[in-house]
Amino acid sequence: MIEVKNITQSYGKNVDILKDINFTVRENCVTALVGANGAGKSTLLSVIANLIPARSGEVLIDGKAVAKIKTADVAKKVAFLKQSQHFDIRIPVKDVVEFGRFPHCGGRMKDADNKKVSDALEYMDLKYIAHKYIDEISGGQRQRAFIAMILAQDTPYIFLDEPLNNLDMKYSVEMMKIVKKLVTDLGKTIVVVLHDINFASAYADHIIAMKDGKIHKEGSPAEIVNSEILNPVFGHEFNIVERDGKRVCLYFN
């Protein structure tokens, strides 16, 4: 269980980015963080993963304060995929996936580590391009390779910061289907930052809407995807319709 208690974060002394954030990460489901640019979504994700220290408050993972857990041990609990991944050297897909095992083996791969890498490549349907360099494959394949990397890390919690960034519609849908499968097939608990409300409505089990560094409202997609909540969060008037039991935002009147 991950509990976020009274978290505050700031840039400088007078600019609060997060203001008294409190919530519990829902187990074995997809939680989407939504909100306008600057709402604090990515910062919150980084604070929970202990990549950025909180100014005040605490994050508990299985009852232990994350700030007091060794970095390597946190990496065995939480896998974090940032908005963009940069490799300064040409590297094969298989080697990228092997990075996920570093918290467990420190770079000294053993049979068990190789098995985790092989399983991740197979699950993400990447074995046929495992030998190719990461800069030679498509954006969608590259994102699947990074998902395979965090699968090889074998953590119960997965944080994804805008995983649909720079993906076209086909690959965005494919990626969200994969995210959902990680929960249903493997029992993962996933927190994902999304900009498109319709993807959150279609694939998330729980949505946290943020505004100005605070949680404006959280609940199921049916509870959050309505104009009374979304209009003030995004500063935009939404036209919301329902189709096949899902609420869809039309970005025009």
Side-chain angles (χ1 to χ4, degrees):
M1 176 185 293
I2 296 181
E3 301 168 272
V4 180
K5 297 185 175 183
N6 309 116
I7 288 295
T8 298
Q9 178 55 274
S10 61
Y11 292 151
K13 294 183 179 180
N14 300 315
V15 182
D16 287 336
I17 303 300
L18 300 175
K19 307 168 187 175
D20 196 29
I21 301 289
N22 291 273
F23 73 98
T24 299
V25 175
R26 300 292 180 97
E27 296 282 315
N28 305 121
C29 73
V30 178
T31 296
L33 300 180
V34 303
N37 289 337
K41 306 181 298 295
S42 296
T43 300
L44 176 58
L45 214 59
S46 294
V47 169
I48 299 173
N50 204 35
L51 299 179
I52 299 175
R55 192 182 77 182
S56 62
E58 63 178 355
V59 176
L60 302 177
I61 298 182
D62 297 334
K64 297 181 180 179
V66 68
K68 297 180 180 179
I69 303 174
K70 292 180 180 179
T71 300
D73 291 333
V74 174
K76 294 175 183 177
K77 292 280 188 178
V78 180
F80 190 108
L81 187 63
K82 297 181 180 180
Q83 290 184 32
S84 57
Q85 304 290 323
H86 298 287
F87 288 87
D88 295 328
I89 58 173
R90 297 191 76 209
I91 185 170
V93 169
K94 182 176 181 291
D95 289 5
V96 170
V97 179
E98 286 180 357
F99 280 130
R101 296 305 301 164
F102 191 85
H104 302 274
C105 69
R108 297 180 290 274
M109 297 284 290
K110 298 179 181 178
D111 289 345
D113 301 301
N114 288 321
K115 179 67 163 55
K116 291 289 185 182
V117 170
S118 178
D119 288 347
L121 287 166
E122 183 172 357
Y123 188 85
M124 296 304 298
D125 191 25
L126 291 170
K127 279 199 168 182
Y128 72 103
I129 57 170
H131 63 287
K132 288 194 173 184
Y133 289 101
I134 195 74
D135 61 345
E136 293 177 336
I137 61 179
S138 70
Q141 291 171 326
R142 194 175 302 121
Q143 196 71 330
R144 279 167 41 214
F146 294 136
I147 295 292
M149 178 179 68
I150 63 176
L151 279 183
Q153 194 172 334
D154 194 26
T155 62
Y157 302 102
I158 296 175
F159 292 171
L160 305 174
D161 190 4
E162 297 187 38
L164 310 186
N165 194 26
N166 296 323
L167 295 184
D168 62 24
M169 184 57 66
K170 174 186 174 182
Y171 284 121
S172 293
V173 171
E174 178 183 285
M175 183 55 56
M176 290 309 299
K177 286 182 177 179
I178 289 170
V179 168
K180 197 71 173 178
K181 283 184 64 180
L182 296 182
V183 174
T184 57
D185 290 357
L186 305 180
K188 302 295 185 180
T189 294
I190 298 179
V191 183
V192 54
V193 173
L194 293 174
H195 269 134
D196 193 311
I197 295 298
N198 289 333
F199 279 111
S201 178
Y203 294 101
D205 304 292
H206 190 73
I207 298 176
I208 297 176
M210 296 185 65
K211 178 179 173 64
D212 298 330
K214 298 180 179 180
I215 293 179
H216 182 78
K217 189 78 173 179
E218 64 173 304
S220 68
E223 292 171 317
I224 300 301
V225 183
N226 66 71
S227 57
E228 289 80 8
I229 292 174
L230 295 183
N231 286 4
V233 166
F234 287 92
H236 173 81
E237 291 190 9
F238 285 89
N239 181 15
I240 298 174
V241 298
E242 190 164 323
R243 176 69 183 271
D244 298 331
K246 298 287 186 180
R247 292 186 177 181
V248 178
C249 296
L250 303 180
Y251 301 114
F252 55 87
N253 292 325

